[in-house]
Amino acid sequence: MGLEEISDRIAKAETAAGRENGSVKLIAVSKVQPNARVETVLQEGHRCFGENRVQEAAGKWPAFREAFDGIDLHLIGPLQTNKARQSFELFQSIHSLDRPKLAKIFARLAQEMGTCPEMFIQVNTGEEPQKAGVLPADTDAFVAECQAMDLPIRGLMCIPPIEEEAALHFALLAKIAARNGLSGLSMGMSSDFEKAIALGATHVRVGSAIFGARAPA
């Protein structure tokens, strides 16, 4: 579809939901995409991108930052604790805070480095055993725990189960965020971002619809 068409669809979804145009941030998911495709999107003026793995981002984005100003990089995949320091150096936002051990490491790094990426807590809305994320019933307590450590919690993130209606999970995430006073909702991907916007998404993660099918090396 390309960047322009996706941006138009986001704008229409914002209008349909009675929301201000530009209130939803489009994260172009560049994981496992050739550099040439990413550069094309950068040249079109887009600056907000998402990566799944710290190592892949470290090999790709420093050179792009030298060539393009204002890049806003988001980590949207699971994070190993031994990559936490590197993630602070690479990313402006982390969408996969999902356990107390990681929160404590983030808090220590924030104190030590004097800076901290914006944080989203990943919620396992489908309670899937193979998937990362805090369970819905545990989210309120985890939000409070993270805030007590002075972590900059912007909002919540979810990845709904493939076989279930995504809107139900988006509505649940929005409800949990609202009762915790969090405004950020990272939800919605290529196939369902318009539903997510209707239910309050502030960040949508779109990859294949912008770049085409992933092209692993």
Side-chain angles (χ1 to χ4, degrees):
M1 280 176 232
L3 178 65
E4 186 176 357
E5 184 175 341
I6 295 298
S7 298
D8 286 346
R9 286 174 58 186
I10 288 172
K12 287 174 182 170
E14 287 170 336
T15 300
R19 298 175 60 187
E20 185 180 346
N21 278 358
S23 59
V24 177
K25 181 172 281 193
L26 169 59
I27 301 172
V29 179
S30 48
K31 63 178 181 179
V32 204
Q33 293 290 351
N35 282 1
R37 291 185 185 177
V38 179
E39 186 164 359
T40 296
V41 175
L42 280 161
Q43 287 171 341
E44 290 180 51
H46 196 69
R47 292 292 182 268
C48 182
F49 293 84
E51 291 283 344
N52 255 40
R53 294 173 64 243
V54 173
Q55 191 171 349
E56 183 184 346
K60 181 188 296 182
W61 286 98
F64 280 141
R65 285 192 191 279
E66 287 187 12
F68 297 92
D69 290 334
I71 289 171
D72 179 24
L73 199 57
H74 296 243
L75 179 65
I76 57 174
L79 180 63
Q80 296 172 309
T81 52
N82 64 350
K83 302 284 188 187
R85 180 181 295 275
Q86 195 176 12
S87 75
F88 266 48
E89 295 165 351
L90 281 167
F91 296 96
Q92 282 65 61
S93 295
I94 293 173
H95 292 237
S96 44
L97 173 53
D98 62 356
R99 57 198 188 279
K101 182 180 179 182
L102 190 58
K104 287 170 185 167
I105 290 170
F106 282 163
R108 177 175 57 76
L109 285 170
Q111 289 293 319
E112 178 188 325
M113 298 171 76
T115 185
C116 186
E118 196 170 69
M119 300 279 171
F120 289 78
I121 290 170
Q122 182 170 351
V123 181
N124 186 350
T125 55
E127 302 187 24
E128 298 173 274
Q130 80 282 8
K131 193 175 281 184
V134 184
L135 294 176
D138 299 333
T139 302
D140 294 0
F142 187 57
V143 169
E145 185 179 351
C146 291
Q147 290 175 329
M149 290 186 244
D150 289 329
L151 287 173
I153 304 301
R154 169 80 168 83
L156 306 178
M157 181 270 247
C158 76
I159 304 170
I162 293 171
E163 70 282 359
E164 293 185 18
E165 172 51 58
L168 298 175
H169 295 268
F170 299 154
L172 173 60
L173 196 74
K175 183 178 178 182
I176 297 170
R179 71 171 179 245
N180 283 283
L182 298 173
S183 60
L185 288 169
S186 173
M187 59 189 195
M189 296 186 281
S190 290
S191 61
D192 55 25
F193 66 84
E194 284 143 325
K195 289 180 183 177
I197 291 169
L199 289 162
T202 57
H203 297 66
V204 295
R205 310 180 302 269
V206 180
S208 55
I210 293 172
F211 295 103
R214 286 180 211 159

